[in-house]
């Protein structure tokens, strides 16, 4: 069974940093592109960042470029999102999502984690 | 960026009703369109990809259609477990973008 489990969220002050993790299991992790998608309280879904299966290609939404860094450790089946220079607008539930097809850079998603909550507040 | 616009933003329907949700893309995306369902307090669930292909395990009462800029999600006979918020999402190009969501409520 494919599973994704996020961790690392928490309360952080404006300007602070966090590192989110997503542990994948039940599939060959390195074969699939992965993404981070966030949802602010009471709002819709917003794609944040994506990474190819090898980790060599990364994508970001404009609002986080230069502040967030996506990476992966395929030997440990782990996806990461480093969040820096956080503002209140980054407060959200952060989900990791798995691409549906092997090797595709821009696939639809087929599996989502349960999310990890990031709250940016003083 | 490709803008995705869903309508309506909310609707009220009864069990057994046929429900249709529309999604429009600001530019052509071929059939690179997915539909997702989200229930309160839960993670999104992927329903459809390729505009019309059901993900594994999704009931056949769900169907999708459309191409290029106009897409629809239809629930042929609404069931109690279908009351949720539905999102469209394009994966034609980065940044990936979602529609604003359609909340399906009980009448």
């Amino acid at each position: 069974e494919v599973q994704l489990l996020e961790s690392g969220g928490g309360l952080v002050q404006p300007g602070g940093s966090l590192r989110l993790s997503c542990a994948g299991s039940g599939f060959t992790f390195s074969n699939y592109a992965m993404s981070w998608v966030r949802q602010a309280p009471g709002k819709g879904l917003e794609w944040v960042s994506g990474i190819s299966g090898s980790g060599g290609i990364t994508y970001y939404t404009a609002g986080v470029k230069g502040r967030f860094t996506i990476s992966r450790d395929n030997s440990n089946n782990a996806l990461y999102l480093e969040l820096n220079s956080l503002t209140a607008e980054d407060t959200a539930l952060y989900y990791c999502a798995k691409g549906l097809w092997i090797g595709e850079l821009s696939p639809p998603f087929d599996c989502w984690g349960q999310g990890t909550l990031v709250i940016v507040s003083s | 960026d490709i803008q995705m616009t869903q309508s309506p933003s909310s609707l009220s329907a009864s069990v057994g009703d046929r429900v249709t949700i529309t999604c429009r893309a600001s530019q052509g995306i071929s059939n690179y369109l997915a539909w997702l369902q989200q229930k309160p307090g839960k993670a999104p669930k992927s329903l459809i990809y390729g505009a019309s292909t059901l993900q594994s395990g999704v009931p056949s009462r769900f169907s999708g259609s459309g191409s290029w800029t106009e897409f629809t999600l239809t629930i042929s006979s609404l069931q109690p477990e279908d009351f949720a918020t539905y999102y469209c999402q394009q994966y034609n190009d980065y940044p990936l973008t979602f529609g604003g969501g359609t909340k399906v409520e009980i009448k």
Side-chain angles (χ1 to χ4, degrees):
Chain A
E1 179 191 5
V2 173
Q3 287 192 327
L4 299 171
L5 183 62
E6 302 94 337
S7 61
L11 175 63
V12 60
Q13 291 190 336
S17 299
L18 274 179
R19 189 196 201 199
L20 308 183
S21 300
C22 171
S25 61
F27 63 103
T28 303
F29 189 78
S30 60
N31 281 352
Y32 296 89
M34 300 289 294
S35 275
W36 288 96
V37 176
R38 67 184 177 183
Q39 187 168 35
K43 302 297 185 183
L45 299 170
E46 179 188 23
W47 176 83
V48 174
S49 182
I51 189 168
S52 63
S54 67
I57 302 172
T58 59
Y59 303 92
Y60 299 92
T61 192
V64 309
K65 204 170 291 186
R67 298 190 301 122
F68 291 8
T69 302
I70 191 171
S71 62
R72 64 192 297 162
D73 179 353
N74 287 339
S75 63
N76 286 306
N77 294 344
L79 173 72
Y80 303 105
L81 187 67
E82 188 84 31
L83 290 68
N84 296 308
S85 303
L86 286 162
T87 72
E89 287 66 44
D90 297 315
T91 293
L93 189 58
Y94 285 73
Y95 296 102
C96 63
K98 171 187 167 291
L100 174 61
W101 297 308
I102 292 174
E104 283 286 325
L105 287 177
S106 179
F109 304 131
D110 67 340
C111 185
W112 297 68
Q114 288 304 301
T116 186
L117 182 61
V118 173
I119 300 173
V120 183
S121 175
S122 56
Chain B
D1 298 3
I2 300 172
Q3 308 302 317
M4 307 300 293
T5 303
Q6 282 183 241
S7 60
S9 57
S10 65
L11 64 90
S12 296
S14 301
V15 172
D17 284 354
R18 182 182 181 89
V19 169
T20 299
I21 298 167
T22 298
C23 177
R24 289 187 174 85
S26 61
Q27 64 189 73
I29 59 169
S30 184
N31 67 335
Y32 296 118
L33 190 283
W35 289 98
L36 304 100
Q37 175 194 65
Q38 188 177 33
K39 297 180 181 179
K42 299 294 187 181
K45 174 186 175 183
S46 297
L47 295 179
I48 288 171
Y49 63 92
S52 62
T53 303
L54 267 60
Q55 293 266 7
S56 176
V58 174
S60 59
R61 63 181 179 273
F62 290 93
S63 64
S65 65
S67 67
W68 206 239
T69 61
E70 298 268 342
F71 303 88
T72 60
L73 172 69
T74 299
I75 310 172
S76 60
S77 178
L78 199 65
Q79 298 301 299
E81 60 269 30
D82 300 336
F83 291 95
T85 299
Y86 294 85
Y87 295 92
C88 62
Q89 178 229 329
Q90 67 81 18
Y91 54 95
N92 179 74
D93 195 13
Y94 285 101
L96 309 182
T97 47
F98 294 88
T102 297
K103 188 174 184 179
V104 177
E105 298 175 300
I106 301 172
K107 181 182 285 185

